Amino acid sequence: MKTHTLETPGADLVHDVRGPLPAADGRPPLLMIGQPMDAGGFAALAARFPDRTVVTYDPRGLGRSTRKDGRTDHTPETQADDVHAVIGALGAGPVELFASSGGAVTALAVVAKYPADVTVLVAHEPPLITLTPDSRAAVRARAAVLEAYEKRGWGAGMAAFVAMTSWEGEFTEEYFAQPQADPAAFGMPTEDDGSRDDPLLSDRSWAISGYRPDADAIAAAPTRVVIAVGEESTNVQTGRTSVATAELLGQRVTVFPSHHGGFLDGEFGYPGKPDEFGQRLREVLDGAS
């Protein structure tokens, strides 16, 4: 693996390249992106593709990629520009793209704005909460996570986030009537360290979850777009947003093994099924439905 830093006016973008460029097998590089997950979250999945040239990167302001634009918010449009810049720097595009969570939102923006950059996109569980039928309630639930974080710190905010993302079905008054989630019950710290800059719990990434993809531009692009959902996510928020995104694009979701982090092994404490996930991704990239 070789690590590179691409200097742009707004950020220094650190990316890792596993394998030769151009790829030895003649296929496009396989780029893997997330948000707020950085390149470190794709180590297990990249290891399942030893025959491919795999590229991972840290979005601006996350991991090793430093910002120079004076901003702290994360938007799909800006991140799409960054991904486009990284693809250009590789000199071996267009790429095949696997994108997860907020990275899947960025990837949809890439296809809409830079359609020649990507041959196939597998967008795994984009958290586009305003596309669901209960969008107003979903936005209210998101605001409650921010409130818990701002009032009581990281542990309380993360506990509220876990409670929100594990809730099954639409957000009803029953959901909002629940007691505040207890961080100790999730093994999270109860003390407040005073920080309020977490990209997941603050409002810095609200532009991502509130984004509406340009369905017409995506339909006009030559990219084959696949919206993927984990088999365990069917009735929770990211499963429902995946279905809503697929419907916006006039398609149906493609089911993958495991959950929202199904490509992870045990390094983050919530292991998925990386072997099965990697095999399914390989099949879908090759054209399977």
Side-chain angles (χ1 to χ4, degrees):
M1 184 177 75
K2 294 182 179 180
T3 298
H4 307 270
T5 300
L6 172 63
E7 297 184 7
T8 73
D12 292 341
L13 304 172
V14 178
H15 53 287
D16 304 311
V17 180
R18 297 169 171 83
L21 287 172
D25 60 0
R27 291 189 64 166
L30 173 56
L31 177 60
M32 300 179 179
I33 66 172
Q35 207 289 328
M37 179 177 285
D38 59 27
F42 295 99
L45 185 58
R48 269 67 185 181
F49 289 84
D51 56 320
R52 298 289 306 272
T53 294
V54 177
V55 180
T56 55
Y57 102 119
D58 294 350
R60 67 169 60 196
L62 300 173
R64 302 158 295 173
S65 292
T66 55
R67 301 188 78 147
K68 301 182 290 189
D69 59 0
R71 301 176 66 98
T72 59
D73 60 327
H74 302 280
T75 69
E77 296 85 358
T78 297
Q79 292 195 14
D81 292 342
D82 288 345
V83 171
H84 172 67
V86 170
I87 293 171
L90 296 176
V95 301
E96 295 181 0
L97 180 55
F98 171 75
S100 183
S101 194
V105 179
T106 295
L108 292 168
V110 171
V111 172
K113 189 172 184 180
Y114 302 106
D117 279 2
V118 183
T119 59
V120 55
L121 163 63
V122 180
H124 181 248
E125 300 201 3
L128 296 170
I129 64 173
T130 61
L131 299 185
T132 59
D134 61 330
S135 59
R136 290 186 179 181
V139 168
R140 179 183 170 192
R142 181 183 66 179
V145 171
L146 174 63
E147 181 180 16
Y149 177 53
E150 289 186 335
K151 287 185 175 180
R152 297 187 289 138
W154 185 86
M158 185 57 73
F161 179 79
V162 171
M164 178 184 72
T165 55
S166 60
W167 178 262
E168 295 193 354
E170 296 189 354
F171 293 106
T172 62
E173 288 304 318
E174 181 184 358
Y175 170 81
F176 294 106
Q178 295 179 110
Q180 291 182 327
D182 178 11
F186 295 99
M188 298 169 185
T190 57
E191 67 276 6
D192 184 356
D193 65 4
S195 65
R196 295 295 185 273
D197 57 357
D198 188 282
L200 185 65
L201 304 178
S202 69
D203 59 0
R204 296 182 175 190
S205 299
W206 279 15
I208 292 174
S209 55
Y211 180 70
R212 186 177 183 86
D214 187 335
D216 290 339
I218 293 171
T223 310
R224 177 167 63 92
V225 176
V226 177
I227 305 300
V229 65
E231 61 188 357
E232 298 174 29
S233 300
T234 304
N235 206 32
V236 298
Q237 187 180 49
T238 55
R240 296 189 303 111
T241 59
S242 300
V243 171
T245 303
E247 290 177 347
L248 177 70
L249 301 181
Q251 57 178 264
R252 302 183 66 173
V253 290
T254 296
V255 178
F256 270 61
S258 199
H259 47 66
H260 189 64
F263 51 89
L264 301 172
D265 55 23
E267 76 270 46
F268 295 103
Y270 187 34
K273 299 177 180 177
D275 288 335
E276 295 92 331
F277 195 101
Q279 180 58 40
R280 180 62 170 145
L281 177 58
R282 189 180 292 272
E283 293 168 354
V284 172
L285 290 172
D286 288 344
S289 61

